[in-house]
PDB file of all heavy atoms in Angstrom:
ATOM      1  N   ILE A 190     134.950 107.114  36.855  1.00  0.00           N
ATOM      2  CA  ILE A 190     133.810 106.642  36.065  1.00  0.00           C
ATOM      3  C   ILE A 190     133.838 105.115  36.051  1.00  0.00           C
ATOM      4  O   ILE A 190     134.812 104.510  35.631  1.00  0.00           O
ATOM      5  CB  ILE A 190     133.865 107.197  34.630  1.00  0.00           C
ATOM      6  CG1 ILE A 190     133.828 108.726  34.655  1.00  0.00           C
ATOM      7  CG2 ILE A 190     132.723 106.629  33.787  1.00  0.00           C
ATOM      8  CD1 ILE A 190     134.164 109.379  33.325  1.00  0.00           C
ATOM      9  N   LEU A 191     132.742 104.506  36.502  1.00  0.00           N
ATOM     10  CA  LEU A 191     132.653 103.047  36.559  1.00  0.00           C
ATOM     11  C   LEU A 191     131.914 102.456  35.362  1.00  0.00           C
ATOM     12  O   LEU A 191     132.192 101.330  34.954  1.00  0.00           O
ATOM     13  CB  LEU A 191     131.957 102.622  37.854  1.00  0.00           C
ATOM     14  CG  LEU A 191     132.636 103.080  39.148  1.00  0.00           C
ATOM     15  CD1 LEU A 191     131.770 102.711  40.346  1.00  0.00           C
ATOM     16  CD2 LEU A 191     134.026 102.480  39.261  1.00  0.00           C
ATOM     17  N   ALA A 192     130.956 103.208  34.829  1.00  0.00           N
ATOM     18  CA  ALA A 192     130.176 102.719  33.683  1.00  0.00           C
ATOM     19  C   ALA A 192     129.612 103.919  32.938  1.00  0.00           C
ATOM     20  O   ALA A 192     129.329 104.955  33.532  1.00  0.00           O
ATOM     21  CB  ALA A 192     129.051 101.810  34.154  1.00  0.00           C
ATOM     22  N   ARG A 193     129.447 103.741  31.616  1.00  0.00           N
ATOM     23  CA  ARG A 193     128.872 104.792  30.788  1.00  0.00           C
ATOM     24  C   ARG A 193     127.941 104.177  29.760  1.00  0.00           C
ATOM     25  O   ARG A 193     128.093 103.025  29.387  1.00  0.00           O
ATOM     26  CB  ARG A 193     129.967 105.581  30.065  1.00  0.00           C
ATOM     27  CG  ARG A 193     130.897 106.274  31.009  1.00  0.00           C
ATOM     28  CD  ARG A 193     131.768 107.279  30.326  1.00  0.00           C
ATOM     29  NE  ARG A 193     132.875 106.671  29.610  1.00  0.00           N
ATOM     30  CZ  ARG A 193     133.815 107.345  28.977  1.00  0.00           C
ATOM     31  NH1 ARG A 193     133.771 108.658  28.938  1.00  0.00           N
ATOM     32  NH2 ARG A 193     134.788 106.738  28.361  1.00  0.00           N
ATOM     33  N   LYS A 194     127.015 105.004  29.308  1.00  0.00           N
ATOM     34  CA  LYS A 194     126.094 104.570  28.261  1.00  0.00           C
ATOM     35  C   LYS A 194     125.678 105.797  27.459  1.00  0.00           C
ATOM     36  O   LYS A 194     125.230 106.792  28.026  1.00  0.00           O
ATOM     37  CB  LYS A 194     124.858 103.915  28.873  1.00  0.00           C
ATOM     38  CG  LYS A 194     123.835 103.461  27.838  1.00  0.00           C
ATOM     39  CD  LYS A 194     122.616 102.802  28.486  1.00  0.00           C
ATOM     40  CE  LYS A 194     122.985 101.459  28.988  1.00  0.00           C
ATOM     41  NZ  LYS A 194     122.430 100.326  28.297  1.00  0.00           N
ATOM     42  N   ALA A 195     125.850 105.717  26.143  1.00  0.00           N
ATOM     43  CA  ALA A 195     125.325 106.757  25.263  1.00  0.00           C
ATOM     44  C   ALA A 195     123.837 106.478  25.085  1.00  0.00           C
ATOM     45  O   ALA A 195     123.426 105.336  24.893  1.00  0.00           O
ATOM     46  CB  ALA A 195     126.049 106.744  23.924  1.00  0.00           C
ATOM     47  N   ALA A 196     123.051 107.530  25.190  1.00  0.00           N
ATOM     48  CA  ALA A 196     121.598 107.385  25.118  1.00  0.00           C
ATOM     49  C   ALA A 196     121.035 108.575  24.342  1.00  0.00           C
ATOM     50  O   ALA A 196     121.790 109.462  23.912  1.00  0.00           O
ATOM     51  CB  ALA A 196     121.017 107.324  26.533  1.00  0.00           C
ATOM     52  N   LEU A 197     119.740 108.585  24.178  1.00  0.00           N
ATOM     53  CA  LEU A 197     119.087 109.659  23.437  1.00  0.00           C
ATOM     54  C   LEU A 197     118.258 110.523  24.371  1.00  0.00           C
ATOM     55  O   LEU A 197     117.638 110.016  25.309  1.00  0.00           O
ATOM     56  CB  LEU A 197     118.182 109.078  22.346  1.00  0.00           C
ATOM     57  CG  LEU A 197     118.886 108.257  21.272  1.00  0.00           C
ATOM     58  CD1 LEU A 197     117.868 107.582  20.362  1.00  0.00           C
ATOM     59  CD2 LEU A 197     119.833 109.131  20.462  1.00  0.00           C
ATOM     60  N   LEU A 198     118.247 111.817  24.107  1.00  0.00           N
ATOM     61  CA  LEU A 198     117.466 112.770  24.884  1.00  0.00           C
ATOM     62  C   LEU A 198     116.235 113.156  24.084  1.00  0.00           C
ATOM     63  O   LEU A 198     116.344 113.508  22.909  1.00  0.00           O
ATOM     64  CB  LEU A 198     118.332 114.001  25.178  1.00  0.00           C
ATOM     65  CG  LEU A 198     117.713 115.104  26.016  1.00  0.00           C
ATOM     66  CD1 LEU A 198     117.389 114.604  27.424  1.00  0.00           C
ATOM     67  CD2 LEU A 198     118.667 116.296  26.081  1.00  0.00           C
ATOM     68  N   GLU A 199     115.077 113.091  24.716  1.00  0.00           N
ATOM     69  CA  GLU A 199     113.814 113.464  24.072  1.00  0.00           C
ATOM     70  C   GLU A 199     113.454 114.908  24.404  1.00  0.00           C
ATOM     71  O   GLU A 199     113.940 115.479  25.380  1.00  0.00           O
ATOM     72  CB  GLU A 199     112.689 112.539  24.522  1.00  0.00           C
ATOM     73  CG  GLU A 199     112.872 111.107  24.082  1.00  0.00           C
ATOM     74  CD  GLU A 199     111.757 110.195  24.549  1.00  0.00           C
ATOM     75  OE1 GLU A 199     111.100 110.490  25.578  1.00  0.00           O
ATOM     76  OE2 GLU A 199     111.528 109.177  23.882  1.00  0.00           O
ATOM     77  N   ARG A 200     112.550 115.491  23.633  1.00  0.00           N
ATOM     78  CA  ARG A 200     112.141 116.889  23.801  1.00  0.00           C
ATOM     79  C   ARG A 200     111.665 117.201  25.216  1.00  0.00           C
ATOM     80  O   ARG A 200     111.882 118.288  25.729  1.00  0.00           O
ATOM     81  CB  ARG A 200     111.025 117.246  22.814  1.00  0.00           C
ATOM     82  CG  ARG A 200     111.482 117.294  21.378  1.00  0.00           C
ATOM     83  CD  ARG A 200     110.375 117.760  20.451  1.00  0.00           C
ATOM     84  NE  ARG A 200     110.048 119.152  20.768  1.00  0.00           N
ATOM     85  CZ  ARG A 200     108.824 119.660  20.651  1.00  0.00           C
ATOM     86  NH1 ARG A 200     107.817 118.925  20.254  1.00  0.00           N
ATOM     87  NH2 ARG A 200     108.599 120.926  20.942  1.00  0.00           N
ATOM     88  N   ASP A 201     111.003 116.247  25.867  1.00  0.00           N
ATOM     89  CA  ASP A 201     110.473 116.477  27.214  1.00  0.00           C
ATOM     90  C   ASP A 201     111.500 116.240  28.314  1.00  0.00           C
ATOM     91  O   ASP A 201     111.197 116.372  29.493  1.00  0.00           O
ATOM     92  CB  ASP A 201     109.228 115.631  27.454  1.00  0.00           C
ATOM     93  CG  ASP A 201     109.479 114.136  27.358  1.00  0.00           C
ATOM     94  OD1 ASP A 201     110.646 113.707  27.187  1.00  0.00           O
ATOM     95  OD2 ASP A 201     108.498 113.380  27.464  1.00  0.00           O
ATOM     96  N   GLY A 202     112.731 115.854  27.944  1.00  0.00           N
ATOM     97  CA  GLY A 202     113.790 115.671  28.921  1.00  0.00           C
ATOM     98  C   GLY A 202     114.099 114.231  29.280  1.00  0.00           C
ATOM     99  O   GLY A 202     115.086 113.963  29.967  1.00  0.00           O
ATOM    100  N   ASP A 203     113.280 113.288  28.834  1.00  0.00           N
ATOM    101  CA  ASP A 203     113.556 111.882  29.126  1.00  0.00           C
ATOM    102  C   ASP A 203     114.808 111.430  28.383  1.00  0.00           C
ATOM    103  O   ASP A 203     114.997 111.750  27.213  1.00  0.00           O
ATOM    104  CB  ASP A 203     112.394 110.981  28.695  1.00  0.00           C
ATOM    105  CG  ASP A 203     111.159 111.153  29.548  1.00  0.00           C
ATOM    106  OD1 ASP A 203     111.293 111.571  30.711  1.00  0.00           O
ATOM    107  OD2 ASP A 203     110.046 110.875  29.045  1.00  0.00           O
ATOM    108  N   VAL A 204     115.648 110.672  29.073  1.00  0.00           N
ATOM    109  CA  VAL A 204     116.813 110.036  28.453  1.00  0.00           C
ATOM    110  C   VAL A 204     116.424 108.583  28.215  1.00  0.00           C
ATOM    111  O   VAL A 204     115.975 107.901  29.138  1.00  0.00           O
ATOM    112  CB  VAL A 204     118.053 110.135  29.366  1.00  0.00           C
ATOM    113  CG1 VAL A 204     119.225 109.386  28.756  1.00  0.00           C
ATOM    114  CG2 VAL A 204     118.416 111.601  29.599  1.00  0.00           C
ATOM    115  N   ILE A 205     116.566 108.117  26.968  1.00  0.00           N
ATOM    116  CA  ILE A 205     116.112 106.770  26.618  1.00  0.00           C
ATOM    117  C   ILE A 205     117.242 105.936  26.027  1.00  0.00           C
ATOM    118  O   ILE A 205     118.187 106.469  25.454  1.00  0.00           O
ATOM    119  CB  ILE A 205     114.920 106.812  25.634  1.00  0.00           C
ATOM    120  CG1 ILE A 205     115.327 107.470  24.303  1.00  0.00           C
ATOM    121  CG2 ILE A 205     113.715 107.512  26.256  1.00  0.00           C
ATOM    122  CD1 ILE A 205     114.314 107.297  23.183  1.00  0.00           C
ATOM    123  N   ASP A 206     117.094 104.631  26.161  1.00  0.00           N
ATOM    124  CA  ASP A 206     118.016 103.691  25.530  1.00  0.00           C
ATOM    125  C   ASP A 206     117.906 103.870  24.019  1.00  0.00           C
ATOM    126  O   ASP A 206     116.805 103.865  23.467  1.00  0.00           O
ATOM    127  CB  ASP A 206     117.645 102.262  25.947  1.00  0.00           C
ATOM    128  CG  ASP A 206     118.609 101.241  25.394  1.00  0.00           C
ATOM    129  OD1 ASP A 206     118.504 100.926  24.185  1.00  0.00           O
ATOM    130  OD2 ASP A 206     119.435 100.738  26.167  1.00  0.00           O
ATOM    131  N   ALA A 207     119.033 104.041  23.345  1.00  0.00           N
ATOM    132  CA  ALA A 207     119.037 104.335  21.908  1.00  0.00           C
ATOM    133  C   ALA A 207     118.445 103.219  21.064  1.00  0.00           C
ATOM    134  O   ALA A 207     117.848 103.469  20.023  1.00  0.00           O
ATOM    135  CB  ALA A 207     120.460 104.633  21.440  1.00  0.00           C
ATOM    136  N   THR A 208     118.597 101.984  21.503  1.00  0.00           N
ATOM    137  CA  THR A 208     118.104 100.851  20.723  1.00  0.00           C
ATOM    138  C   THR A 208     116.650 100.527  21.032  1.00  0.00           C
ATOM    139  O   THR A 208     115.830 100.392  20.130  1.00  0.00           O
ATOM    140  CB  THR A 208     118.971  99.599  20.988  1.00  0.00           C
ATOM    141  OG1 THR A 208     120.324  99.920  20.678  1.00  0.00           O
ATOM    142  CG2 THR A 208     118.529  98.431  20.125  1.00  0.00           C
ATOM    143  N   THR A 209     116.319 100.439  22.313  1.00  0.00           N
ATOM    144  CA  THR A 209     114.983  99.967  22.711  1.00  0.00           C
ATOM    145  C   THR A 209     113.973 101.078  22.931  1.00  0.00           C
ATOM    146  O   THR A 209     112.779 100.844  22.895  1.00  0.00           O
ATOM    147  CB  THR A 209     115.073  99.157  24.014  1.00  0.00           C
ATOM    148  OG1 THR A 209     115.453 100.042  25.085  1.00  0.00           O
ATOM    149  CG2 THR A 209     116.055  98.005  23.891  1.00  0.00           C
ATOM    150  N   GLY A 210     114.462 102.296  23.218  1.00  0.00           N
ATOM    151  CA  GLY A 210     113.557 103.397  23.528  1.00  0.00           C
ATOM    152  C   GLY A 210     113.077 103.384  24.973  1.00  0.00           C
ATOM    153  O   GLY A 210     112.267 104.222  25.371  1.00  0.00           O
ATOM    154  N   SER A 211     113.584 102.482  25.782  1.00  0.00           N
ATOM    155  CA  SER A 211     113.177 102.383  27.185  1.00  0.00           C
ATOM    156  C   SER A 211     113.760 103.533  28.000  1.00  0.00           C
ATOM    157  O   SER A 211     114.894 103.950  27.774  1.00  0.00           O
ATOM    158  CB  SER A 211     113.651 101.056  27.775  1.00  0.00           C
ATOM    159  OG  SER A 211     113.389 101.018  29.170  1.00  0.00           O
ATOM    160  N   ILE A 212     113.000 104.011  28.981  1.00  0.00           N
ATOM    161  CA  ILE A 212     113.513 105.032  29.898  1.00  0.00           C
ATOM    162  C   ILE A 212     114.380 104.414  30.990  1.00  0.00           C
ATOM    163  O   ILE A 212     115.048 105.129  31.731  1.00  0.00           O
ATOM    164  CB  ILE A 212     112.381 105.876  30.528  1.00  0.00           C
ATOM    165  CG1 ILE A 212     111.407 105.000  31.310  1.00  0.00           C
ATOM    166  CG2 ILE A 212     111.690 106.714  29.485  1.00  0.00           C
ATOM    167  CD1 ILE A 212     110.359 105.764  32.096  1.00  0.00           C
ATOM    168  N   ASP A 213     114.375 103.100  31.090  1.00  0.00           N
ATOM    169  CA  ASP A 213     115.206 102.386  32.058  1.00  0.00           C
ATOM    170  C   ASP A 213     116.570 102.111  31.435  1.00  0.00           C
ATOM    171  O   ASP A 213     116.678 101.345  30.480  1.00  0.00           O
ATOM    172  CB  ASP A 213     114.563 101.072  32.486  1.00  0.00           C
ATOM    173  CG  ASP A 213     113.261 101.275  33.238  1.00  0.00           C
ATOM    174  OD1 ASP A 213     113.048 102.382  33.788  1.00  0.00           O
ATOM    175  OD2 ASP A 213     112.452 100.336  33.286  1.00  0.00           O
ATOM    176  N   LEU A 214     117.614 102.759  31.968  1.00  0.00           N
ATOM    177  CA  LEU A 214     118.969 102.560  31.469  1.00  0.00           C
ATOM    178  C   LEU A 214     119.655 101.534  32.367  1.00  0.00           C
ATOM    179  O   LEU A 214     119.886 101.790  33.545  1.00  0.00           O
ATOM    180  CB  LEU A 214     119.735 103.873  31.473  1.00  0.00           C
ATOM    181  CG  LEU A 214     119.104 105.016  30.662  1.00  0.00           C
ATOM    182  CD1 LEU A 214     119.930 106.281  30.805  1.00  0.00           C
ATOM    183  CD2 LEU A 214     118.942 104.624  29.212  1.00  0.00           C
ATOM    184  N   SER A 215     119.954 100.377  31.798  1.00  0.00           N
ATOM    185  CA  SER A 215     120.541  99.273  32.560  1.00  0.00           C
ATOM    186  C   SER A 215     122.049  99.252  32.413  1.00  0.00           C
ATOM    187  O   SER A 215     122.583  99.485  31.335  1.00  0.00           O
ATOM    188  CB  SER A 215     119.973  97.940  32.065  1.00  0.00           C
ATOM    189  OG  SER A 215     118.582  97.917  32.235  1.00  0.00           O
ATOM    190  N   PHE A 216     122.709  98.935  33.525  1.00  0.00           N
ATOM    191  CA  PHE A 216     124.160  98.789  33.553  1.00  0.00           C
ATOM    192  C   PHE A 216     124.472  97.400  34.115  1.00  0.00           C
ATOM    193  O   PHE A 216     124.799  97.255  35.297  1.00  0.00           O
ATOM    194  CB  PHE A 216     124.795  99.895  34.407  1.00  0.00           C
ATOM    195  CG  PHE A 216     124.619 101.256  33.802  1.00  0.00           C
ATOM    196  CD1 PHE A 216     123.488 102.020  34.072  1.00  0.00           C
ATOM    197  CD2 PHE A 216     125.571 101.764  32.939  1.00  0.00           C
ATOM    198  CE1 PHE A 216     123.323 103.265  33.500  1.00  0.00           C
ATOM    199  CE2 PHE A 216     125.416 103.020  32.359  1.00  0.00           C
ATOM    200  CZ  PHE A 216     124.287 103.771  32.643  1.00  0.00           C
ATOM    201  N   PRO A 217     124.348  96.340  33.282  1.00  0.00           N
ATOM    202  CA  PRO A 217     124.477  94.960  33.746  1.00  0.00           C
ATOM    203  C   PRO A 217     125.821  94.621  34.384  1.00  0.00           C
ATOM    204  O   PRO A 217     125.890  93.733  35.220  1.00  0.00           O
ATOM    205  CB  PRO A 217     124.264  94.127  32.486  1.00  0.00           C
ATOM    206  CG  PRO A 217     123.529  95.018  31.550  1.00  0.00           C
ATOM    207  CD  PRO A 217     123.983  96.405  31.866  1.00  0.00           C
ATOM    208  N   ALA A 218     126.885  95.331  34.031  1.00  0.00           N
ATOM    209  CA  ALA A 218     128.197  95.030  34.609  1.00  0.00           C
ATOM    210  C   ALA A 218     128.401  95.734  35.949  1.00  0.00           C
ATOM    211  O   ALA A 218     129.422  95.550  36.596  1.00  0.00           O
ATOM    212  CB  ALA A 218     129.299  95.442  33.642  1.00  0.00           C
ATOM    213  N   LEU A 219     127.419  96.514  36.372  1.00  0.00           N
ATOM    214  CA  LEU A 219     127.544  97.303  37.588  1.00  0.00           C
ATOM    215  C   LEU A 219     126.594  96.773  38.661  1.00  0.00           C
ATOM    216  O   LEU A 219     125.386  96.811  38.484  1.00  0.00           O
ATOM    217  CB  LEU A 219     127.207  98.762  37.273  1.00  0.00           C
ATOM    218  CG  LEU A 219     127.630  99.817  38.247  1.00  0.00           C
ATOM    219  CD1 LEU A 219     129.150  99.899  38.329  1.00  0.00           C
ATOM    220  CD2 LEU A 219     127.074 101.157  37.822  1.00  0.00           C
ATOM    221  N   PRO A 220     127.118  96.262  39.771  1.00  0.00           N
ATOM    222  CA  PRO A 220     126.249  95.734  40.813  1.00  0.00           C
ATOM    223  C   PRO A 220     125.432  96.844  41.473  1.00  0.00           C
ATOM    224  O   PRO A 220     125.835  98.011  41.454  1.00  0.00           O
ATOM    225  CB  PRO A 220     127.212  95.098  41.814  1.00  0.00           C
ATOM    226  CG  PRO A 220     128.511  95.785  41.585  1.00  0.00           C
ATOM    227  CD  PRO A 220     128.534  96.180  40.136  1.00  0.00           C
ATOM    228  N   MET A 221     124.298  96.465  42.024  1.00  0.00           N
ATOM    229  CA  MET A 221     123.499  97.458  42.727  1.00  0.00           C
ATOM    230  C   MET A 221     124.330  98.057  43.857  1.00  0.00           C
ATOM    231  O   MET A 221     125.212  97.407  44.416  1.00  0.00           O
ATOM    232  CB  MET A 221     122.201  96.847  43.246  1.00  0.00           C
ATOM    233  CG  MET A 221     122.369  95.649  44.151  1.00  0.00           C
ATOM    234  SD  MET A 221     120.799  94.818  44.498  1.00  0.00           S
ATOM    235  CE  MET A 221     120.086  95.888  45.704  1.00  0.00           C
ATOM    236  N   GLY A 222     124.091  99.345  44.134  1.00  0.00           N
ATOM    237  CA  GLY A 222     124.852 100.043  45.163  1.00  0.00           C
ATOM    238  C   GLY A 222     124.650 101.533  45.040  1.00  0.00           C
ATOM    239  O   GLY A 222     123.755 101.996  44.328  1.00  0.00           O
ATOM    240  N   ASN A 223     125.480 102.298  45.721  1.00  0.00           N
ATOM    241  CA  ASN A 223     125.392 103.759  45.704  1.00  0.00           C
ATOM    242  C   ASN A 223     126.413 104.322  44.732  1.00  0.00           C
ATOM    243  O   ASN A 223     127.589 103.950  44.782  1.00  0.00           O
ATOM    244  CB  ASN A 223     125.624 104.325  47.105  1.00  0.00           C
ATOM    245  CG  ASN A 223     124.530 103.894  48.055  1.00  0.00           C
ATOM    246  OD1 ASN A 223     123.386 103.728  47.669  1.00  0.00           O
ATOM    247  ND2 ASN A 223     124.888 103.708  49.305  1.00  0.00           N
ATOM    248  N   TYR A 224     125.947 105.251  43.885  1.00  0.00           N
ATOM    249  CA  TYR A 224     126.800 105.829  42.844  1.00  0.00           C
ATOM    250  C   TYR A 224     126.392 107.276  42.576  1.00  0.00           C
ATOM    251  O   TYR A 224     125.231 107.640  42.720  1.00  0.00           O
ATOM    252  CB  TYR A 224     126.652 105.060  41.522  1.00  0.00           C
ATOM    253  CG  TYR A 224     126.971 103.600  41.631  1.00  0.00           C
ATOM    254  CD1 TYR A 224     125.962 102.651  41.763  1.00  0.00           C
ATOM    255  CD2 TYR A 224     128.286 103.149  41.590  1.00  0.00           C
ATOM    256  CE1 TYR A 224     126.246 101.301  41.859  1.00  0.00           C
ATOM    257  CE2 TYR A 224     128.588 101.800  41.674  1.00  0.00           C
ATOM    258  CZ  TYR A 224     127.561 100.888  41.816  1.00  0.00           C
ATOM    259  OH  TYR A 224     127.857  99.544  41.909  1.00  0.00           O
ATOM    260  N   PHE A 225     127.365 108.069  42.133  1.00  0.00           N
ATOM    261  CA  PHE A 225     127.053 109.373  41.571  1.00  0.00           C
ATOM    262  C   PHE A 225     126.555 109.131  40.149  1.00  0.00           C
ATOM    263  O   PHE A 225     127.032 108.230  39.468  1.00  0.00           O
ATOM    264  CB  PHE A 225     128.297 110.273  41.517  1.00  0.00           C
ATOM    265  CG  PHE A 225     128.703 110.820  42.856  1.00  0.00           C
ATOM    266  CD1 PHE A 225     129.632 110.161  43.637  1.00  0.00           C
ATOM    267  CD2 PHE A 225     128.159 112.014  43.322  1.00  0.00           C
ATOM    268  CE1 PHE A 225     130.016 110.665  44.858  1.00  0.00           C
ATOM    269  CE2 PHE A 225     128.536 112.526  44.550  1.00  0.00           C
ATOM    270  CZ  PHE A 225     129.464 111.853  45.325  1.00  0.00           C
ATOM    271  N   VAL A 226     125.604 109.952  39.694  1.00  0.00           N
ATOM    272  CA  VAL A 226     125.082 109.850  38.335  1.00  0.00           C
ATOM    273  C   VAL A 226     125.355 111.177  37.631  1.00  0.00           C
ATOM    274  O   VAL A 226     125.046 112.246  38.167  1.00  0.00           O
ATOM    275  CB  VAL A 226     123.573 109.543  38.329  1.00  0.00           C
ATOM    276  CG1 VAL A 226     123.025 109.505  36.897  1.00  0.00           C
ATOM    277  CG2 VAL A 226     123.285 108.229  39.055  1.00  0.00           C
ATOM    278  N   ALA A 227     125.961 111.105  36.443  1.00  0.00           N
ATOM    279  CA  ALA A 227     126.274 112.310  35.674  1.00  0.00           C
ATOM    280  C   ALA A 227     125.613 112.236  34.304  1.00  0.00           C
ATOM    281  O   ALA A 227     125.426 111.151  33.738  1.00  0.00           O
ATOM    282  CB  ALA A 227     127.786 112.451  35.512  1.00  0.00           C
ATOM    283  N   LEU A 228     125.255 113.407  33.788  1.00  0.00           N
ATOM    284  CA  LEU A 228     124.680 113.526  32.447  1.00  0.00           C
ATOM    285  C   LEU A 228     125.543 114.520  31.687  1.00  0.00           C
ATOM    286  O   LEU A 228     125.770 115.642  32.146  1.00  0.00           O
ATOM    287  CB  LEU A 228     123.235 114.024  32.523  1.00  0.00           C
ATOM    288  CG  LEU A 228     122.516 114.229  31.194  1.00  0.00           C
ATOM    289  CD1 LEU A 228     122.357 112.900  30.447  1.00  0.00           C
ATOM    290  CD2 LEU A 228     121.144 114.866  31.429  1.00  0.00           C
ATOM    291  N   ARG A 229     126.022 114.093  30.507  1.00  0.00           N
ATOM    292  CA  ARG A 229     126.898 114.940  29.700  1.00  0.00           C
ATOM    293  C   ARG A 229     126.359 115.073  28.284  1.00  0.00           C
ATOM    294  O   ARG A 229     125.699 114.176  27.778  1.00  0.00           O
ATOM    295  CB  ARG A 229     128.313 114.353  29.679  1.00  0.00           C
ATOM    296  CG  ARG A 229     128.906 114.275  31.089  1.00  0.00           C
ATOM    297  CD  ARG A 229     130.263 113.687  31.111  1.00  0.00           C
ATOM    298  NE  ARG A 229     131.227 114.626  30.534  1.00  0.00           N
ATOM    299  CZ  ARG A 229     132.490 114.304  30.277  1.00  0.00           C
ATOM    300  NH1 ARG A 229     132.950 113.098  30.524  1.00  0.00           N
ATOM    301  NH2 ARG A 229     133.307 115.192  29.766  1.00  0.00           N
TER     302      ARG A 229
END
């Protein structure tokens, strides 16, 4: 695991940033590249 973020799940399935409500989850410490993505 390189980076994690706790977020909120909406009724329609969207995962959103807990503070801003944005559907874009940013990982500023993680450079662009190829990664596996997991949802727990």
Side-chain angles (χ1 to χ4, degrees):
I190 300 168
L191 301 174
R193 298 193 282 183
K194 179 180 287 250
L197 298 172
L198 182 64
E199 295 179 334
R200 291 185 66 213
D201 61 5
D203 290 335
V204 176
I205 63 168
D206 183 283
T208 303
T209 67
S211 174
I212 59 173
D213 295 338
L214 303 177
S215 300
F216 294 88
L219 197 65
M221 57 190 282
N223 295 327
Y224 302 99
F225 285 93
V226 177
L228 179 64
R229 299 179 72 188

